[in-house]
Amino acid sequence: MTVQLANKTALVTGSSRGIGRAIATRLARAGAVTAVHSGTDAGGVAETVRVIEEAGGRAFPVLAELGVPGDVDVLFDGLEAGLKEHADRVGLDILVNNAAVLGTVAPEEVTPGQFDRLMAVNAKAPLFIVQRALPLMPDGGRIVNISTGLTRFANPPEVAHAMSKAALEMITLHFARHLGARGITVNTVAPGVVDTGDLARAEPWLRAALSGLSAFGRLGEPEDISEVVAFLAAPEARWITGAWIDATGGTMLGQDL
């Protein structure tokens, strides 16, 4: 299926690199005017916009740190200003909540401050981003929340991160029901181990071990996730809502845990 998003607009949070960049470039390639967001990585945002524009797409940068007071106001001020300049209307057809922070600390060492930061960025910000986006979103809009396979299988150093992503998944569940009458779909995509660049420097034994977690025997690529998101953003996905989409490449599938 060829995804067609001409005359659509999109916001992808956390899209200066990795999975977010792949999603932003994929939506733009399908025709969406795409807002490329980061908290502080202005260089990464500029690079994503450059890649999109060189491929013939349309995009603009939005910088807004999430998890701090006033974050959603700053984000939408930048979004609306960018839409006025780069699109033919101030409306948002597609919202992808991708921005997140990791925990990676032993369960007994998680601090209240670390936990609060994870919840603020990974759960609280998306909730109020969705709330703020709804007046701009026409009927038939699309919301995609990027979660993690860690809400289904255990990796103890990421317990707090997984808790925050589980909260994000509740946004999917409850808003899908709430927005059904408007034809707005809300879905979760859950990646597994994805090589966003950091793993390129990993020891060969670690790459091999992580690759072995997938049924396909390889690491995920950002584009593997972006294709799933692009489908959910397309008109053809109109009958899918409230879903948790396993995009882990069959991680731990059929293995003894």
Side-chain angles (χ1 to χ4, degrees):
M1 185 190 74
T2 301
V3 174
Q4 297 290 341
L5 299 175
N7 302 316
K8 302 295 186 181
T9 59
L11 166 63
V12 184
T13 66
S15 48
S16 65
R17 61 186 298 273
I19 292 173
R21 174 178 288 177
I23 293 170
T25 56
R26 182 65 182 90
L27 298 180
R29 189 165 78 246
V33 179
T34 303
V36 178
H37 162 265
S38 176
T40 58
D41 186 8
V45 165
E47 176 63 14
T48 303
V49 171
R50 183 192 67 79
V51 169
I52 289 172
E53 292 180 339
E54 286 190 352
R58 292 186 292 168
F60 59 90
V62 179
L63 290 176
E65 184 178 358
L66 301 182
V68 299
D71 53 356
V72 177
D73 289 335
V74 174
L75 174 64
F76 276 82
D77 285 348
L79 173 66
E80 293 179 20
L83 290 172
K84 288 177 182 177
E85 180 178 353
H86 297 275
D88 58 4
R89 60 192 169 84
V90 180
L92 182 63
D93 299 291
I94 302 160
L95 167 63
V96 182
N97 281 310
N98 172 73
V101 292
L102 286 170
T104 318
V105 61
E108 57 269 51
E109 296 176 5
V110 176
T111 67
Q114 291 169 334
F115 181 83
D116 289 346
R117 172 67 175 163
L118 286 163
M119 294 300 293
V121 176
N122 298 356
K124 181 180 178 181
L127 171 63
F128 290 101
I129 289 171
V130 170
Q131 183 186 80
R132 183 69 174 267
L134 289 179
L136 299 179
M137 185 168 287
D139 292 356
R142 300 286 187 263
I143 299 171
V144 182
N145 296 316
I146 307 301
S147 183
T148 172
L150 292 171
T151 62
R152 297 298 191 275
F153 53 84
N155 180 18
E158 295 296 348
V159 59
H161 172 75
M163 290 175 68
S164 69
K165 288 296 192 176
L168 176 69
E169 292 175 10
M170 293 303 98
I171 296 174
T172 293
L173 181 66
H174 295 279
F175 273 92
R177 177 65 175 175
H178 182 60
L179 297 173
R182 292 184 55 192
I184 295 173
T185 66
V186 191
N187 292 291
T188 292
V189 172
V193 181
V194 177
D195 189 354
T196 58
D198 298 333
L199 288 175
R201 298 183 294 276
E203 295 290 338
W205 67 266
L206 177 58
R207 288 182 61 89
L210 293 174
S211 297
L213 296 176
S214 164
F216 300 115
R218 68 170 177 86
L219 297 172
E221 297 292 338
E223 290 73 22
D224 295 326
I225 311 306
S226 68
E227 292 293 350
V228 179
V229 175
F231 168 69
L232 292 173
E236 289 81 358
R238 62 189 175 276
W239 201 239
I240 302 173
T241 196
W244 189 90
I245 307 297
D246 184 335
T248 68
T251 294
M252 309 298 279
L253 189 63
Q255 298 186 21
D256 294 329
L257 299 179

